[in-house]
Amino acid sequence: MKTHTSEFKKQIKEMGRELDSIISYSLNNVPITISTEQINSVTITYQGALLKSIMKELDIDSNVYIPPKTILNYKFGLKVNGIYEYINYGNFIVYSVEKQEDTNSYKLICYDKLLYSMIPYEKLDITYPITIRNYINAICNKLGLTFKNANSTFANYNRQIQNELYLDSDGNSLDYTFRDVLDEISQVTASCICVNVDDELEIRYFNDTNDTVNEEYLKDINVNFGEKYGPINTIVLSRSADSDNIYYPSTLPENPFEFKISDNQIMNFNDRSDYLPDIYDKLNGLEFYINDFTSTGICYYDLLDKHNVKIGATTYNCLMLNDTINITQGLEEAIYTEMPEETETDYTKADKTDRKINQTYFIVDKQNQTIQAIVNEQSNQSAKLSQFEISNGMITEQVSSMQTTIDETTNAVVEIENKVTQTITDNNAQFEIINSTLENGVEKLKNSLVTIDVNGISVQYNEENFKALMTNKNFVVNDGTYEIAFFGYDENLQKTIARIKELETERVTAGYHRCEGFTDGLEDRTGWFYVGGVD
Amino acid sequence: MFIDINSLKLNDILLGKYIVEAKYEYNKLWAGDSGRNLAGAQSGTLVGIFPKIIVQFRPLTKTELELLSPLLDSPTQNITYYDPVKKSNVTMSTYTGDWEVTNTNIMQNQGFSISFISRKKRA
């Protein structure tokens, strides 16, 4: 809650309250203060959601021109017992100024210093691995902000980021901004990240104010309360388009009400289950009523304040996520909290952790531009692996099995592997089978490789021992380095021929065919001759 | 409050000798948020108290009218009056409403009234 007195809370709802606004800034090192004489209206607003970074906006209609990039401070005043009590809303940066010729005034749009994070993410001056807390500190140093929690503990503050996640392996942009990164850190820390009135970047958690406002603080129109959200009792971490989920706690509640975090780059690896307990600790039990109401003005609630609204005999517990305070001659405040996106995980297909003997996971690695799907099953004697990987310019599929066996001849423990691999690039496709057997204690590998490219289809057995190549003109079989057979059009002879070296004759029932040598002009050749007759 | 002949002044001119009546209004200006809240109670923001002084001039001579009319016609004036809330003389910047003088014969004016309305709320 913003600092205020009990008299403030009492007076703000009273008939005849008197308001004031003060804007102070510095121009050319000269401090300037303007008040309601020069200010026509002020609107303070923020729009947030669970586990996101949230930036405040200040819109001013002023008779005084204030240049862009000026940093100004806004205070809202209420006359209490004859003197004004002010609430400090903090500092804002003038983002844009527009002259309104019809009213001869200036419309200023200002944001708090989270605006500094709305720039492309750049390499930080850090070494990996680095803790979450130090990483945030490095971001703050880069942005020119002070980190309020630099020396305090918060959820997952000491987890380590192993390497750069928001630039590719060459250090090029992946189109993240620092604001995007802060959003991900909000999820990791189970908090909302914001800038406070002292211009510090803050890891903010829910604040139980135990404060209640009643009908006297509400207008008699637009007062809506919906269903209750929560209580949250399950946390789900999801990656790869919600296809790969883990959950916490390990024993699911009878009626799980989950909060799902999807595709967080920091919590994207097989240690992601380590982040869950801290996140669960912060979110477990969170519940609030969906609401949308217009108030006559409360003004002292802050982001993530949990408070109550009592109407008649009904008390609604609410959470501040969205707030708009409009100050003109009068005061009006619109508060609303929307239903967070509801998700429902199929827990039969999810698990508690990725670190198991049998693994099934799907990883999107933006840094190395790969997508990997793995199913891995292991036992004492065998291991099976099915793997599918997409990288830039290549798709690879592989199914392999490894078996541990005892060779009967030598009694030695031997591992033999069978593997099938299919690889597709932009100019060829390959299909390879490796088969491993034991013969007299020695592992024998047989390898077949089929390659398809613009030159044709080639089949290779045990690498160079046997190779066949079929093109659109001919079919050639090689054994080692020399030709065994040729069928088709011979470019050298410019003829369509069949050529088989060292071919043995074969008996056929319709007569005899005999292979004999003959001379065709000056060339010695071999041909098949039908002798005919009956055997 | 008209506490003595000199307690009402228009700019530097003491009005006491020219007027037969002065009505002091202390008007409240409410903001647009005024109305009943969900509890049915009337609530709202008081912008401020804007004093308004309506003076009734006696029939003025030509010379007196020539002295006063430029001030009555000017867009703003300064009115000093005794304010019982402040318990002291208060000077406020005012604007006036329309005014008119009726002549019943040559050089014979009737009295007339005019309002002096504070531009700003009373401090």
Side-chain angles (χ1 to χ4, degrees), chain A residues 482 484 500-504:
Chain A
Y482 66 94
I484 297 174
I500 305 173
K501 287 189 166 70
E502 300 176 10
L503 178 66
E504 293 185 1

Side-chain angles (χ1 to χ4, degrees), chain A residues 29-75:
Chain A
N29 293 319
V30 176
I32 298 172
T33 300
I34 60 174
S35 66
T36 48
E37 293 269 330
Q38 294 95 358
I39 302 169
N40 301 316
S41 70
V42 172
T43 301
I44 312 141
T45 186
Y46 58 83
Q47 288 159 355
L50 291 176
L51 308 197
K52 297 276 281 183
S53 64
I54 298 169
M55 183 167 70
K56 295 188 297 296
E57 178 179 337
L58 181 75
D59 295 341
I60 304 168
D61 189 320
S62 160
N63 297 331
V64 173
Y65 173 75
I66 304 176
K69 297 185 184 176
T70 305
I71 297 176
L72 53 83
N73 175 270
Y74 175 70
K75 290 185 177 66

Side-chain angles (χ1 to χ4, degrees), chain A residues 13-19 37 84 215-220 223 296 311 329-332, chain B residues 29-39 41-48 120-121 123:
Chain A
K13 65 174 172 58
E14 291 298 321
M15 178 79 169
R17 65 191 176 189
E18 292 180 57
L19 311 177
E37 293 269 330
Y84 281 97
E215 300 98 321
E216 290 185 291
Y217 292 86
L218 306 178
K219 288 184 78 87
D220 58 353
V223 177
T296 56
I311 300 176
Q329 286 183 342
L331 171 65
E332 190 172 274
Chain B
L29 181 63
W30 296 98
D33 62 354
S34 301
R36 295 197 180 272
N37 59 31
L38 196 61
Q42 187 72 15
S43 71
T45 302
L46 178 67
V47 178
K120 298 180 184 180
K121 67 180 182 182

Side-chain angles (χ1 to χ4, degrees), chain A residues 508-516 527-535:
Chain A
V508 295
T509 57
Y512 289 93
H513 288 82
R514 192 165 67 231
C515 180
E516 289 187 358
W528 281 94
F529 297 93
Y530 175 67
V531 176
V534 175
D535 186 2

